Each structure stands twice: as structure tokens, then as C-alpha cells.
Amino acid sequence: MSDTDRPWVIVVGAGPAGLLLSVMLAKLAGIKVQVLEANSKLDVSLRAAYYGPPAAVELRRAGLLDEIRREGFQPEIFCWRKLDGSYIAGLDYRKVADNPDRLFVLPLDQLGALLYRHASTTPGVEISFNHKVTEVGQDKDDAWVQVETSTGLHRLQAKYVVGCDGASSTVRRFISEDGGFPGFTWDNQIMTANVRLLRDPTPFICLNPDFRSWLTWEKILYPFDKFGYSDVQFIIHSEHWHLLARLSKNPNPDDDVWRIAYGEISGLTKEELLARQPEKFSVLLPGNPQPEDYKILSINPYKTHQRLVDSMRKGRLLLAADAAHLCPPFGGLGLTGGIVDVGGLYDCLAGIYHEKAEESILDLYSEVRRQKYIDHTDPMTKANLRRLTELDPDRALEDDKFLKLLDEIKNNNLEAQKEILMGDMKLYYDFTQHYKDKTPIVKRA
Ligand SMILES: Cc1cc2nc3c(=O)[nH]c(=O)nc-3n(C[C@H](O)[C@H](O)[C@H](O)COP(=O)(O)OP(=O)(O)OC[C@H]3O[C@@H](n4cnc5c(N)ncnc54)[C@H](O)[C@@H]3O)c2cc1C
């Protein structure tokens, strides 16, 4: 293969991070990219849905944000509650409704499909499914991967190889010193389910519109918001802690899908966890619903990890997103952090390609993105999980500084509220400030 036919970058993994990186490199900088995906199709398992402001910035740069906002929705109220549904404290995202970078929602299967549509139609991007990378290496001038395909083992070469191959990354094994992924795995398992209402609610008398104190003459469960649910609620409880979040907002609420993510005992098998699910739902959800009261669209157990790789660069080999760092899914920082990695890596690679930056900018990429995880993602996600699981809900406003602050500023300090609502912008970093030539990138013909 001649140098002009060869990709300049090989991206391992057609997850959201890999697809977005390929779109940005090819569309914005004219860089040829080959994406290698081990599976025969995109991974549609239920995971990310909520993305913070710095992800909006990068997706806008990629020219995708408007379409993503049209397919998804903007959530309004986030709050923390007790298991009986009573309200503790919250955040109102309508206060930043005019901010173009505000938080947005689109379930990962839809986001992945949208990114794939764009990546597969962007000139300069080639996506190869059933291409499992088994080895990665480099010399002075090039990086290479060994791929397993239906026709056997092949070696592919490019200037750089980027591992966007997720939590069990193969590329990471060739970057970190001992192949390790420093950090720890939390004891609890998390059961995550997407659910949809089954039937229209029958009429009921609601004495207290704020959640569960109502009088009904017939048990009904959904729609959640008829019971005073907000778009997102974190329920604080030592045993029955959970997150209940809206995944879609449709003209007909019967079509809406909700996400329930709840803590479960470690060590149980998937079958054991599934057997416990009906009892858990009846405790977690209002109306003590039985299985005939809801429809589970998908359900999966997850282990949660707090991990960060020692380095996101070794020569021509690079890492981004879950391949480099993991965090619990309470706070929407996992893929948000991954998308910000991708935007930063795009600037670094495009800068090198267009001779605006030295190769050493890739060391800075690794240093800055790791530090952002250490300073923001790691403490925020640990605190979010501990707030749910360890706090005494009856003393939450006294014992938890964050909830206390939300309560104090709720009526009088709009600026402080906006700062919290846009707080994840701390993850953002502009690598183009290190370009030696600051003129805009012009795609080569
Ligand atoms: C329950 C749950 C809820 C979450 N909610 C949120 C949320 O609301 N907001 C948020 O920001 N984040 C959230 N996250 C985190 C988010 O889902 C992940 O950060 C994100 O999916 C990671 O994307 P990725 O592209 O890095 O990796 P992945 O999505 O894992 O994609 C990696 C791809 O690489 C492929 N691959 C792997 N190995 C190889 C190989 N050797 N060769 C070729 N291909 C390979 C895989 O098949 C896969 O397609 C959540 C996670 C969980 C578990």
C-alpha cells in the first residue's frame, strides 16, 4: 500500500469515542482514518445518556450538536430525594436554558447510530467491522496493529494508532508499563434497566402533587412525572439507593423511556440479580409495582470502576475515553470525559499533521487529560456515589456540603447556581493555545 493510500491514523474501536475522533480528523482536518471494530456491529448495550457542557462544545465543533439536540432532549430538574420520595435538594437546568453548551440527553445507542451515520459518509473515513486488534507496535516512523479478520491475521500501518477500544482495551496493554489499569473496582454491582410504561394510568386523586403522598383507589405506576418525579432523581438510601432518570421526552408520554440504575449486592450472578429485580422495583418505585405494571426494554448488571491509566501516550500509540479512564455512571462524566479527550486529541493530531504543533504536544495531551480526571472526574464521581450510598438521608442537608449549598442558593443566588450547572466545563482544555502557528487549519486538497 502506498503512503497516500494508507490511513494517517488508525482508530481501534467504533464506540462513540472512536467514531467521533474519526469524524473530526477527516471532516475538519482532511486526515485519512481507518476505524477497526472487533464486533460485527455497533455496541448498543444500555450505558451513557447524559452529557455535560464540554461534550456539547466538542460535538458542536464536529458539526453534530444541533442534530443531537434535535434527536434528544434538554432535561430540566435534577434532585436528591429520600426513599419515600420526599425532596431534599435539587438543580434546575432551565436556569441555563439559553446557554448553548448546557447538558443534553441522548441514549448511547442513538448517539452511536448518529455518529456512525456521519463517520461512514465522511470522505477519508473507512470503518472495518470484524477487525479485532490483537497486537500493537511501533518503530521510529510508523505505528502498526495486527488484526484478526475472517481472512486471517493482517498487519496495518499508520502514523498513529489511537485506542478507543473501551474498558478492556487491547491498545492499553501495549502502552502502560505493566499492562495495568491503576485504580479500584467498587464493591457494589449496579443493575441498570430501561423501562417503559405499559398502560395509561387510571384516574386518581393526588393529595400532594410533590411525589408519593397521594390517595388512589387503584394501584398505578406510570407515567413517573404524574407522581411528582423530576427528569432526574438520585434516591439516597444505604440499601435501596438508586437513580431514576428520563431517557426521552415524547409528545405522547406513553412512549417515554426511563432509566433505573440501582445498587445491588456484589457476588451475585446475573440470574440471581434478575430474580431479585421484581422485588427491588416494588421497593424502589412508587405504587409498589408488580412485573405486569411495567415493561423492561433492557436490563444489565455492571461493575463500577475508578481507574486511570499511567500514561495516555507511548510514542505513536495513544489512548482516549474508557480505554484510559473509568468512573461510576452517576453524574454523566464517563463519556463526557471521553468526548473531551477526543476533542483534545483531535487538536493535537491535526496540529501535527498541519505542522502547527510539535509531536511533544501529545505528551501534553496525556498530562492534561490525566490531570483533568484526577482533579475533576475522580473526586466528583466518588462523591456522587458516596452521597447516594453513605449519607443519612434525614441529615443530608446538614452533613453533605454540596446539598447544603444547593439548598442555600436555591432562591437567591442565580450566578452560583449557573456555576454549578456548568461546572463540568472544568474538564475542557484548549490545546491549540500550544500551536506554534495559530492560523486556522485549512484542509489539504
Ligand atoms: C450503566 C452506565 C451508564 C452510563 N451513563 C453515562 C452517562 O449518562 N453519561 C456519560 O457521559 N457516560 C456514561 N457512561 C459511560 C459511557 O457509557 C462510556 O464512557 C462510553 O460508552 C465509552 O465509550 P468508548 O467509545 O470509550 O468505549 P466503548 O463504548 O466501550 O467502545 C469501545 C469499542 O471498541 C471495540 N473494541 C474493543 N476491543 C477491541 C479490539 N481489540 N479491536 C477492535 N475493536 C475493539 C468494542 O467492541 C467497542 O465497540 C455510563 C456507563 C454505564 C456502564
Side-chain angles (χ1 to χ4, degrees):
M1 191 185 273
S2 76
D3 260 11
T4 44
D5 294 337
R6 259 178 26 185
W8 200 72
V9 176
I10 288 175
V11 173
V12 184
L19 291 172
L20 178 63
L21 182 61
S22 71
V23 171
M24 291 183 86
L25 288 170
K27 184 167 138 182
L28 306 181
I31 294 174
K32 235 174 149 167
V33 187
Q34 183 162 14
V35 182
L36 304 172
E37 169 54 50
N39 289 331
S40 58
K41 53 184 175 19
L42 299 182
D43 179 355
V44 293
S45 60
L46 70 180
R47 290 185 290 160
Y50 281 65
Y51 314 97
V57 172
E58 298 302 353
L59 291 161
R60 179 179 309 98
R61 286 212 295 157
L64 305 175
L65 186 62
D66 289 346
E67 194 178 337
I68 288 171
R69 284 206 190 275
R70 278 197 301 277
E71 282 202 22
F73 77 100
Q74 300 358 291
E76 296 181 349
I77 311 278
F78 275 49
C79 67
W80 283 259
R81 298 181 188 271
K82 298 182 191 176
L83 187 59
D84 69 3
S86 49
Y87 179 92
I88 299 171
L91 281 164
D92 184 349
Y93 277 84
R94 287 171 298 190
K95 301 209 163 131
V96 287
D98 57 349
N99 190 316
D101 301 330
R102 68 198 177 279
L103 183 102
F104 61 96
V105 183
L106 186 65
L108 190 61
D109 52 337
Q110 287 168 261
L111 179 66
L114 186 150
L115 289 168
Y116 178 69
R117 268 198 317 273
H118 283 269
S120 58
T121 51
T122 299
V125 178
E126 187 184 334
I127 305 173
S128 309
F129 287 97
N130 298 309
H131 278 56
K132 182 178 179 187
V133 170
T134 53
E135 269 185 55
V136 184
Q138 59 184 317
D139 57 32
K140 191 168 68 57
D141 299 317
D142 288 305
W144 55 264
V145 296
Q146 179 171 276
V147 275
E148 205 176 276
T149 72
S150 55
T151 56
L153 288 179
H154 302 275
R155 192 166 155 139
L156 303 172
Q157 233 162 281
K159 285 290 166 197
Y160 296 95
V161 169
V162 183
C164 292
D165 47 346
S168 317
S169 171
T170 298
V171 179
R172 188 176 59 233
R173 293 210 319 262
F174 295 86
I175 290 190
S176 57
E177 286 304 312
D178 54 0
F181 200 5
F184 67 91
T185 299
W186 292 84
D187 273 347
N188 293 304
Q189 305 201 61
I190 295 175
M191 280 299 266
T192 303
N194 285 2
V195 296
R196 177 171 273 157
L197 61 109
L198 258 188
R199 59 194 164 88
D200 282 327
T202 30
F204 65 101
I205 301 167
C206 183
L207 290 181
N208 176 359
D210 190 30
F211 215 43
R212 289 192 190 193
S213 316
W214 64 81
L215 175 64
T216 76
W217 57 82
E218 190 178 333
K219 178 169 67 66
I220 51 172
L221 172 62
Y222 299 121
F224 291 113
D225 45 6
K226 292 260 165 61
F227 292 86
Y229 274 89
S230 319
D231 284 338
V232 176
Q233 33 271 300
F234 298 96
I235 310 292
I236 299 174
H237 191 273
S238 55
E239 183 184 355
H240 297 301
W241 54 274
H242 64 282
L243 160 75
L244 182 55
R246 177 189 281 284
L247 290 190
S248 57
K249 208 167 224 170
N250 294 294
N252 177 3
D254 287 7
D255 296 333
D256 287 347
V257 176
W258 289 75
R259 164 75 52 84
I260 304 171
Y262 58 94
E264 264 290 15
I265 306 163
S266 62
L268 298 184
T269 63
K270 184 169 179 182
E271 288 65 37
E272 288 167 330
L273 292 167
L274 288 175
R276 285 166 56 87
Q277 171 272 313
E279 177 59 24
K280 279 299 263 187
F281 272 30
S282 83
V283 175
L284 303 183
L285 299 175
N288 309 109
Q290 300 308 303
E292 60 274 17
D293 296 324
Y294 49 81
K295 181 175 168 65
I296 296 182
L297 303 176
S298 46
I299 183 163
N300 240 329
Y302 290 93
K303 296 294 277 179
T304 48
H305 313 271
Q306 208 81 40
R307 294 183 186 276
L308 172 65
V309 75
D310 284 333
S311 174
M312 291 166 75
R313 176 191 186 195
K314 186 176 182 184
R316 298 180 172 280
L317 311 179
L318 297 145
L319 292 174
D322 272 22
H325 43 71
L326 297 172
C327 62
F330 299 101
L333 282 172
L335 185 52
T336 298
I339 288 174
V340 192
D341 285 353
V342 164
L345 187 52
Y346 158 73
D347 281 327
C348 296
L349 289 171
I352 296 167
Y353 183 81
H354 287 277
E355 295 169 1
K356 293 178 183 299
E358 305 291 347
E359 248 201 341
S360 58
I361 199 169
L362 295 173
D363 288 329
L364 195 64
Y365 161 76
S366 170
E367 202 180 299
V368 170
R369 294 307 337 151
R370 287 186 71 259
Q371 200 58 46
K372 292 283 184 186
Y373 176 93
I374 292 166
D375 293 343
H376 189 74
T377 306
D378 189 53
M380 289 287 284
T381 52
K382 279 178 179 157
N384 285 345
L385 188 52
R386 290 192 170 127
R387 188 168 295 120
L388 276 184
T389 59
E390 292 175 12
L391 203 58
D392 174 352
D394 293 323
R395 292 191 42 85
L397 290 181
E398 290 92 64
D399 294 349
D400 187 83
K401 273 199 245 162
F402 177 65
L403 296 180
K404 190 175 177 191
L405 176 67
L406 293 186
D407 191 51
E408 281 166 4
I409 63 178
K410 66 181 177 216
N411 296 323
N412 52 19
N413 193 339
L414 185 59
E415 281 319 303
Q417 290 177 52
K418 286 185 175 178
E419 201 180 316
I420 293 173
L421 293 167
M422 300 302 289
D424 291 339
M425 273 309 289
K426 291 187 187 118
L427 281 180
Y428 183 75
Y429 187 86
D430 179 7
F431 287 92
T432 65
Q433 65 187 290
H434 303 287
Y435 279 10
K436 55 190 179 193
D437 166 5
K438 306 261 197 272
T439 55
I441 284 175
V442 180
K443 269 176 29 175
R444 291 182 198 140

